[in-house]
């Protein structure tokens, strides 16, 4: 039996156009259909939603773990801090989200339910790895049923436990979950990943790495300098008693100012270097 949408396409495009239309894009109507290339287009669309959203990142340091994100200020009348992206799930687990924020908040609630259930059943706090696996499975379930749609968000889970120490996991809309020493998602993910790789956060304390995280987030936002934004950062480290807490506002503000000054100095140094390089090239041609 032909659905209303298909009958409309046949009426508009004719029989031949209908077949071509269905062969080209008919595989993205639901998540239960694989395309001939082996793709699930609904999952790819969900990933696209996260790629165009705010940058989030996490870093494992030698004494703890850090989370951070940058948020556009969509209105001058919006109360600062009301557009939250970083949440505490338990005392020792934090999560940061990007993409469709309502989807992310739904997964935060699910994570809290899973944590409470684990605590009640086993009598010990849930670990970051177990929670990440459970949330990843929950997200994956929305990619195999016709009546569901994938969650349009990426999640980074930071945790600390006595057995595994500081851990970091990234989950994408397909339900893939991997552990990392440093990871990023969102529109500035590639810049952030390159900077994290060069940084070597495993050899830094959380306080040292926090400044570099602020610098990386400001660098990711350079393409949109005209738009105002604010940072949101949290950590699990000895300063917080190995619990998940937001960075103190005065400390974060100080780090942001230092990061901006450092980026400006680096930009000036790059400009001077380029000028000297052009002068040397001109002198070389003049001498010839």
């Amino acid at each position: 039996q032909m659905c209303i949408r298909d009958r409309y396409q046949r009426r508009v495009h004719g029989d031949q156009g209908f077949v071509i239309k269905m062969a080209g894009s008919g595989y993205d109507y639901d998540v239960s259909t694989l395309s001939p290339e082996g793709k699930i287009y609904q999952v790819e669309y969900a990933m696209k939603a996260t790629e165009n959203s705010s940058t989030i990142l996490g870093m494992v340091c030698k004494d703890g773990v850090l989370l951070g994100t940058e948020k556009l200020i969509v209105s001058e009348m919006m109360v600062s801090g009301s557009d939250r992206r970083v949440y505490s799930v338990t005392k020792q687990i934090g999560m940061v989200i990007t993409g469709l924020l309502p989807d992310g908040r739904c997964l935060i609630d699910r994570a809290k339910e899973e944590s409470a259930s684990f605590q009640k059943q086993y009598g010990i706090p849930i670990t970051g790895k177990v929670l990440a696996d459970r949330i990843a499975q929950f997200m994956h379930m929305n990619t195999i049923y016709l009546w569901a749609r994938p969650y349009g968000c990426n999640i980074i889970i930071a945790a600390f436990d006595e057995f595994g120490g500081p851990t970091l996991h990234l989950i994408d809309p397909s339900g893939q979950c991997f552990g990392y020493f440093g990871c990023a998602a969102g529109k500035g993910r590639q810049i952030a990943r390159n900077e994290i790789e060069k940084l070597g956060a495993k050899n830094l304390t959380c306080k040292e790495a926090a400044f570099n995280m602020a610098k990386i987030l400001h660098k990711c936002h350079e393409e949109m300098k005209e738009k105002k934004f604010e940072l949101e950062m949290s950590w699990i480290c000895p300063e917080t008693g190995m619990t998940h807490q937001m960075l103190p506002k005065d400390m974060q503000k100080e780090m942001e100012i230092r990061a901006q000054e450092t980026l400006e100095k680096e930009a000036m140094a790059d400009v001077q270097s380029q000028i000297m390089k052009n002068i040397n090239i001109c002198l070389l041609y003049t001498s010839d």
Side-chain angles (χ1 to χ4, degrees):
Q1 186 177 0
M2 191 181 297
C3 67
I4 295 173
R5 177 181 57 220
D6 294 344
R7 282 184 292 192
Y8 171 76
Q9 288 180 352
R10 175 163 287 182
R11 186 168 68 248
V12 172
H13 302 289
D15 289 341
Q16 185 176 2
F18 171 75
V19 173
I20 294 172
K21 180 74 176 175
M22 290 298 293
S25 61
Y27 300 97
D28 60 351
Y29 293 152
D30 56 67
V31 294
S32 63
T33 306
L34 287 167
S35 73
E37 296 83 20
K39 297 178 180 179
I40 300 177
Y41 286 112
Q42 287 289 332
V43 174
E44 294 195 359
Y45 297 158
M47 289 183 176
K48 198 69 178 177
T50 67
E51 290 173 3
N52 297 324
S53 189
S54 300
T55 304
I56 61 172
L57 65 149
M59 292 190 290
V60 175
C61 307
K62 66 181 181 182
D63 63 345
V65 60
L66 284 164
L67 291 176
T69 182
E70 47 95 11
K71 308 176 296 182
L72 290 177
I73 299 175
V74 296
S75 172
E76 295 291 342
M77 295 180 289
M78 189 174 71
V79 178
S80 178
S82 61
D83 181 22
R84 290 186 61 193
R85 310 289 174 90
V86 180
Y87 295 83
S88 291
V89 178
T90 67
K91 288 184 177 180
Q92 294 180 313
I93 299 178
M95 297 173 68
V96 60
I97 57 176
T98 188
L100 301 179
L101 299 184
D103 284 9
R105 286 193 290 270
C106 176
L107 293 171
I108 297 291
D109 290 341
R110 178 72 184 194
K112 291 179 179 178
E113 291 173 7
E114 291 286 353
S115 302
S117 173
F118 189 93
Q119 176 78 40
K120 183 178 180 180
Q121 185 171 1
Y122 298 106
I124 58 173
I126 193 170
T127 63
K129 185 179 186 307
V130 173
L131 180 62
D133 287 341
R134 290 192 176 191
I135 296 300
Q137 290 172 13
F138 180 71
M139 293 176 71
H140 175 64
M141 294 304 289
N142 275 40
T143 69
I144 61 177
Y145 291 114
L146 178 67
W147 46 263
R149 72 160 176 83
Y151 285 96
C153 61
N154 274 355
I155 295 177
I156 299 178
I157 300 177
F160 177 85
D161 64 83
E162 297 177 359
F163 308 103
T167 58
L168 197 66
H169 292 84
L170 172 64
I171 310 173
D172 69 19
S174 70
Q176 275 196 131
C177 175
F178 297 106
Y180 292 90
F181 293 118
C183 59
K187 63 178 179 293
R189 63 194 179 282
Q190 196 55 55
I191 296 173
R193 287 170 185 168
N194 293 339
E195 293 295 324
I196 291 171
E197 287 177 7
K198 292 188 287 186
L199 182 61
K202 286 286 286 182
N203 301 319
L204 302 175
T205 64
C206 281
K207 190 172 286 189
E208 293 169 340
F211 160 71
N212 289 283
M213 177 174 281
K215 180 181 168 185
I216 291 170
L217 288 169
H218 274 273
K219 193 168 186 177
C220 291
H221 196 79
E222 281 186 347
E223 295 179 0
M224 304 173 67
K225 285 182 179 179
E226 69 282 356
K227 295 185 179 180
K228 293 183 179 179
F229 71 103
E230 61 182 4
L231 302 187
E232 194 173 352
M233 298 167 62
S234 67
W235 58 2
I236 302 173
C237 61
E239 281 82 355
T240 65
M242 302 312 293
T243 61
H244 180 254
Q245 295 181 21
M246 303 301 294
L247 250 70
K249 289 186 177 180
D250 54 346
M251 181 184 293
Q252 181 174 314
K253 191 66 178 176
E254 178 189 347
M255 289 180 177
E256 286 190 55
I257 293 171
R258 284 176 54 203
Q260 287 176 313
E261 291 174 350
T262 303
L263 287 173
E264 288 172 2
K265 290 178 181 177
E266 289 178 358
M268 286 297 297
D270 289 340
V271 170
Q272 291 176 356
S273 176
Q274 187 64 39
I275 290 172
M276 292 302 298
K277 184 177 179 180
N278 292 338
I279 291 173
N280 290 334
I281 291 173
C282 291
L283 291 174
L284 181 63
Y285 279 111
T286 303
S287 61
D288 291 341

